[in-house]
Each structure stands twice: as C-alpha cells, then as structure tokens.
Amino acid sequence: MGDYSKALEFYEKSHQIYEKVLPPNHPDLATSCSNIGQVYNNMGDYSKALEFCEKALQIDEKVLPPNHPDLATSYNNIGQMYYNMGDYSKALEFYEKSHQIYEKVLPSNRPYLATSYNNIGQVYNNMGDYSKALEFYEKSLKIREKALSSNHPDLAGSHLSFAACYERMGDYAAALKALQSAFQIQQQAFQEGNPAFALTYSWFGRVYRSMKDYSKALDNLEKCLAIDLKTLPEKHLYQGITYSNIGDVHRLMGSYDRALSFHQKALNIQENVQYNPLECATTYTNLGETYREMKDYSTALTYFQKGLEIRQKKLPKNHPDLAIIFHNMAKLYLATQQYSMAMENVQQA
C-alpha cells in the first residue's frame, strides 16, 4: 500500500514487545530490526535504515552459523543501504560477503543467487566499470531465464539493469531494446500505474534525452513523476531524481527558467533528506550547466565545485562522471577566457 509511516508505527510496537520478552540476541529481534530498516529504506532515510540493519546483523553474527542464509540476507541488506548512500566500495564488500554464502548453500539456479549477481553488477555499473557490470548482469539473467516464468517482474528488472548500463556506455539502441523488453514484461505482470513502471519511464526518459529526442524524454519523465507523486511519501528521494532529470531536459530545450524551477524542487528534497549524495551532485552539475548556458559563470562555477567535491569523495578517480564535470568546467573557463584553467580541466577530463 506504500503507507510507510503506518508500517513503521506497527513494526515499532511489535519491536517494543520483543525487546521486553525476548533475550537480547533472539533471532526474532534481528528480524524485527531488519523489518524496521527496510521501511526506513523505502522512505529514503538510509542512515536510520543502516542503523537497524546493523543491529540485525550483530544479532545474526552471534546466533547463526557463518554460512546461514539469514546471515547472507543481513549482509545483503547492509550492502543495499551503502549502495543507496553512494558508498559503493562498502556496498561491494557486503554484497560479496552475502554472495559467498549464497554460492555455498544455494543451488546454482536459485533466484536469490540471480539477485545477488544483479546487485553486484549494479555496484560496478555505478562505479563506472561497465564490462564487469555486464558480466554480472549476464550471470543473473541466465539464472532468471531458467528459473522464472517469461512474465516474471524480476526478468524485467534484469532488462532494466542492462538498459542502465548501455545508456551510460552510450549504446542507446541497445538500451532502448532492453527497456522495451522490460516494459513488455511489466505490461503483462502489472496494472497501469504500478510503481514498477516509474523506473522504466525514468530510463526511457534518460535514453531519449541522450538521443536528443527531448519531447519523448519529457513525456516519459512526466509519466514517471506522476507515478512517484501518487505512490511515494512526500519529498521522497526518487521524486528529487525525477525533478532533476526533467530540469535537465528543459535546459537542453533552452527553457532555463523551467530548468531552474525543477532543479530547485530537486534540491529541496535532496539537501534536506537522507539520500545518496551523488544524486545531489548530479543536480548541482545540472544547475551548473544551466547557469553556464545562461552566462552566469560565477553561479555556475559554485555549483560545479559542489558537485565535483561530492563526486571526488564518493567515486573512483577514473569514473566517467568525474570526466563530465571536468569537461563542463573547462567549457566555463574557456568562455571566461581563463585558458590555463580550461586546459587544466580538459586534461583532467
């Protein structure tokens, strides 16, 4: 139903009873902590989510054997929180711990193993290692194709993962093909307006934006936003991402006032809610580009520097997103005739 505040209320009532009647290391307490953590995750409050998932892990590590599947689930949950917070090295560490257990205790065709491969692939994708990402996505897809029905939502999820990777690699034809496969499965599995469609519309929007088909990009991003506003809590981080994406399309169309309006809506969420700071860095970068094109170079530089600071802290030194921001700053310095700074940033890119 998506009513996370009510879910949290009842999970917390349950947890208070467990704390009174159970020993501190009882497995049911770990499950209760994990449930609360997942609600905070769905609300976009990743620091609170991580806090409860770590409590669950502390119990599981004390009471479970080292290869127990529930321990793998705890590692996976913590990996997910770090992934959502943009700490990809930590996410990979916990996803790999989880995966090592699953490989030992599960048959090779189990869907859990496919999800584990997909999670690791997503980390590599966001770290900019696209060949490794595709390698793990392929492993995940092979298991899902054997183990699941042809219209299973997880198969759509695999195609979405491929689409995200191909879009970042600049192979837009392959990205669109993967998105169309995902969309066809979702149309069989869900009713129109289901939250699952939001991510698909979002990636359609990103691909069409990269292909410079701005009307199709805007149409898909607005469909995504309509679903997000209906199904997510107010000021959820996904809404912030969509606002930023819509703003960037308006920038590319030359509608700078509209672009600034949507970017500000994004920042109102991203700067005031626990979220992945890399999403905020993207909005800062988009704002920088908007102001650069408006020839407000000092404001543009301020936003570029904010975006760069976050990306340098969170991303590997050879990540493509760092090259993008150095390239954008080089264009700014070139426009202001600061040629040595422009050259420096071009070389960094």
Side-chain angles (χ1 to χ4, degrees):
M1 295 171 66
D3 191 340
Y4 301 126
S5 60
K6 288 298 263 186
L8 191 60
E9 176 188 337
F10 283 100
Y11 276 142
E12 286 177 339
K13 285 181 178 179
S14 169
H15 190 71
Q16 288 168 4
I17 296 172
Y18 282 141
E19 284 187 317
K20 289 178 181 176
V21 301
L22 295 177
N25 290 333
H26 196 282
D28 287 351
L29 263 177
T31 302
S32 180
C33 287
S34 181
N35 288 339
I36 293 172
Q38 287 301 322
V39 176
Y40 278 120
N41 177 51
N42 289 329
M43 295 171 73
D45 190 340
Y46 299 131
S47 62
K48 289 292 286 184
L50 182 61
E51 176 188 332
F52 279 93
C53 286
E54 284 178 335
K55 287 179 181 179
L57 177 62
Q58 287 170 2
I59 297 171
D60 285 341
E61 286 182 327
K62 289 177 182 176
V63 302
L64 297 176
N67 288 333
H68 196 284
D70 287 353
L71 191 58
T73 300
S74 280
Y75 286 135
N76 181 79
N77 290 344
I78 290 177
Q80 182 186 22
M81 302 315 156
Y82 280 120
Y83 173 84
N84 288 337
M85 294 168 74
D87 192 337
Y88 298 129
S89 60
K90 293 290 283 184
L92 192 59
E93 175 189 337
F94 281 93
Y95 277 151
E96 286 178 338
K97 284 183 178 181
S98 172
H99 189 75
Q100 286 167 6
I101 297 174
Y102 284 141
E103 280 193 315
K104 289 177 182 176
V105 302
L106 295 178
S108 60
N109 64 343
R110 283 296 297 273
Y112 273 120
L113 203 56
T115 300
S116 183
Y117 280 128
N118 197 73
N119 289 342
I120 293 171
Q122 286 181 328
V123 177
Y124 280 119
N125 187 28
N126 282 280
M127 293 173 75
D129 192 338
Y130 303 129
S131 60
K132 289 288 283 184
L134 289 174
E135 175 190 333
F136 280 93
Y137 290 154
E138 289 283 359
K139 289 179 179 180
S140 176
L141 180 62
K142 284 180 182 177
I143 295 173
R144 286 174 172 172
E145 285 180 331
K146 290 178 182 177
L148 302 175
S149 62
S150 60
N151 65 341
H152 196 285
D154 285 355
L155 271 175
S158 277
H159 291 300
L160 285 173
S161 295
F162 278 108
C165 196
Y166 285 129
E167 190 272 340
R168 288 175 173 171
M169 294 170 70
D171 189 343
Y172 305 130
L176 278 180
K177 183 179 178 181
L179 283 170
Q180 287 159 355
S181 296
F183 191 66
Q184 287 170 2
I185 293 170
Q186 289 173 334
Q187 284 180 314
Q188 296 175 51
F190 302 117
Q191 292 184 340
E192 188 176 345
N194 189 285
F197 285 105
L199 184 59
T200 309
Y201 285 133
S202 178
W203 278 108
F204 267 123
R206 289 184 59 150
V207 174
Y208 282 124
R209 178 189 63 185
S210 298
M211 295 173 69
K212 300 184 180 179
D213 190 338
Y214 302 134
S215 61
K216 284 186 179 179
L218 208 52
D219 178 57
N220 280 278
L221 290 170
E222 286 172 347
K223 287 178 180 177
C224 172
L225 182 61
I227 294 173
D228 285 348
L229 291 174
K230 284 181 181 178
T231 60
L232 295 174
E234 187 180 359
K235 293 190 174 182
H236 193 278
L237 80 153
Y238 289 168
Q239 294 165 10
I241 294 169
T242 306
Y243 282 134
S244 185
N245 287 337
I246 291 173
D248 200 44
V249 175
H250 281 298
R251 172 188 69 83
L252 291 165
M253 296 170 71
S255 303
Y256 299 127
D257 289 342
R258 296 280 289 165
L260 292 177
S261 173
F262 277 98
H263 288 324
Q264 195 54 57
K265 286 180 180 181
L267 285 184
N268 287 343
I269 296 172
Q270 293 169 336
E271 288 184 333
N272 296 296
V273 178
Q274 291 291 334
Y275 68 103
N276 180 347
L278 286 166
E279 300 297 349
C280 202
T282 297
T283 303
Y284 287 143
T285 305
N286 290 342
L287 272 166
E289 274 293 88
T290 305
Y291 280 112
R292 184 189 65 79
E293 291 181 13
M294 295 171 68
K295 297 183 171 32
D296 184 345
Y297 298 123
S298 61
T299 305
L301 186 59
T302 298
Y303 281 112
F304 282 148
Q305 289 171 336
K306 285 183 176 184
L308 180 62
E309 183 181 357
I310 294 170
R311 287 180 175 176
Q312 285 180 320
K313 285 180 180 177
K314 290 290 185 180
L315 296 175
K317 291 181 179 179
N318 63 343
H319 195 285
D321 286 356
L322 283 170
I324 289 170
I325 201 163
F326 281 125
H327 180 71
N328 291 343
M329 290 173 71
K331 289 190 290 185
L332 184 151
Y333 285 123
L334 189 62
T336 56
Q337 299 182 349
Q338 299 178 66
Y339 299 121
S340 61
M341 291 295 291
M343 180 61 74
E344 182 181 324
N345 279 271
V346 165
Q347 289 170 339
Q348 288 272 33

